[in-house]
Amino acid sequence: MSPRALIVTVYGLYARETGGWLSIAALIRILAELGVDEPAVRSAISRLKRRGLLEPRKVAGAAGYALTPEAGQLLREGDERIFHPRPAKLDDGWVLVIFSVPETERQRRHTLRSQLTRLGFGTAAPGVWVAPAHRYATVREMLDRMDLSQYVTLFVGSTPMEPDIQTWWDLPELRALYEDFLGVYGTVGGDNPLADWVRALTAWRRLPYLDPGLPVELLPADWPGTAAAELLHDLEAKLARPAHEQAARLVS
């Protein structure tokens, strides 16, 4: 689990209530609880700064880093996906993204594909991506924000999904990731709530972005995603408050 990923989780959990800023000293103390040493923390911060997610700022004379507006937006979007995902129903319909990007704009094509994957879209055919219809507003916002709308046509409606579901999404890989999460975090004891909660949430964060949120009728009866989501909420109930108190002591 990379220090960068852990730092993003820490900022999402504990920095936004203080204006999105943490001092370097506080961040080093928090990450020490997770077994990350100071050089690794400073190196990870430098990389997050280069990616435009953190910016240096002093508060009351203390050196630290604050979330950039882009990072704040990404975290706000993540709150809903991670903690309150919306289940799809068969009669909701589907949103199709059809795009064509010129060869001279290959980087924008890569960006578009990466963003669609992040939003849980599956590939129905070259240049044709599909997801449950409730993703429409999210994908429209993403296209406008990243100035990609000119390459894309969106359709919303009913689509005969059942015969193609196994080929449009890699459900075996997603199953393996859910089972790994259950295996690793199903026995967390909570002796160090801060470390346990930050690690568990960091491990979980990418899963809602890989899961398209398909209607339950289209999923196998033994789908582990449901049990994994229940485990996350159990861990939140057990660990979130004591972890917050532990982090508050380290920050102060």
Side-chain angles (χ1 to χ4, degrees):
M1 195 170 291
S2 75
R4 278 179 292 171
L6 294 170
I7 288 172
V8 171
T9 301
V10 167
Y11 267 85
L13 287 172
Y14 308 122
R16 285 183 287 177
E17 61 188 42
T18 58
W21 179 87
L22 287 173
S23 71
I24 296 175
L27 198 55
I28 289 171
R29 289 194 294 269
I30 291 173
L31 269 293
E33 293 291 311
L34 287 96
V36 181
D37 61 22
E38 180 176 341
V41 172
R42 292 186 180 276
S43 175
I45 290 174
S46 179
R47 292 177 183 178
L48 290 168
K49 177 186 173 183
R50 288 198 298 270
R51 289 181 57 188
L53 299 178
L54 293 178
E55 56 188 11
R57 183 183 303 171
K58 282 190 175 183
V59 174
Y65 283 83
L67 293 165
T68 63
E70 177 188 358
Q73 176 65 25
L74 291 173
L75 289 174
R76 287 190 294 273
E77 292 175 2
D79 289 341
E80 189 70 19
R81 291 290 293 277
I82 293 168
F83 295 107
H84 307 288
R86 176 182 170 183
K89 299 179 181 179
L90 274 177
D91 57 4
D92 288 344
W94 306 88
V95 55
L96 272 69
V97 173
I98 300 176
F99 67 85
S100 178
V101 182
E103 182 64 22
T104 55
E105 300 279 356
R106 281 179 291 176
Q107 182 57 45
R108 296 178 73 79
R109 183 191 306 153
H110 172 74
T111 299
L112 179 55
R113 288 172 176 165
S114 299
Q115 290 297 315
L116 291 174
T117 299
R118 180 177 173 271
L119 293 177
F121 278 75
T123 309
V128 181
W129 295 59
V130 63
H134 66 72
R135 299 275 197 239
Y136 175 84
T138 303
V139 71
R140 169 56 68 194
E141 188 280 331
M142 179 275 291
L143 294 171
D144 292 342
R145 172 166 47 85
M146 304 194 74
D147 194 25
L148 294 169
S149 298
Q150 59 186 308
Y151 306 112
V152 173
T153 302
L154 295 180
F155 295 94
V156 176
S158 300
T159 306
M161 294 286 295
E162 291 86 342
D164 304 297
I165 189 116
Q166 297 293 335
T167 61
W168 293 358
W169 288 277
D170 191 348
L171 295 186
E173 180 185 7
L174 188 57
R175 173 188 286 275
L177 292 172
Y178 277 131
E179 290 174 345
D180 284 347
F181 182 82
L182 288 165
V184 173
Y185 296 99
T187 57
V188 168
D191 294 336
N192 186 337
L194 176 62
D196 290 340
W197 179 228
V198 170
R199 287 195 186 105
L201 190 56
T202 302
W204 176 265
R205 276 196 299 116
R206 65 176 180 152
L207 295 179
Y209 288 97
L210 297 174
D211 192 329
L214 297 174
V216 65
E217 294 90 345
L218 301 182
L219 294 170
D222 62 344
W223 183 244
T226 303
E230 291 173 352
L231 173 59
L232 177 76
H233 290 298
D234 289 344
L235 291 171
E236 182 182 16
K238 180 170 71 172
L239 300 174
R241 181 181 293 275
H244 184 278
E245 294 171 351
Q246 189 178 351
R249 291 193 296 271
L250 294 168
V251 168
S252 63

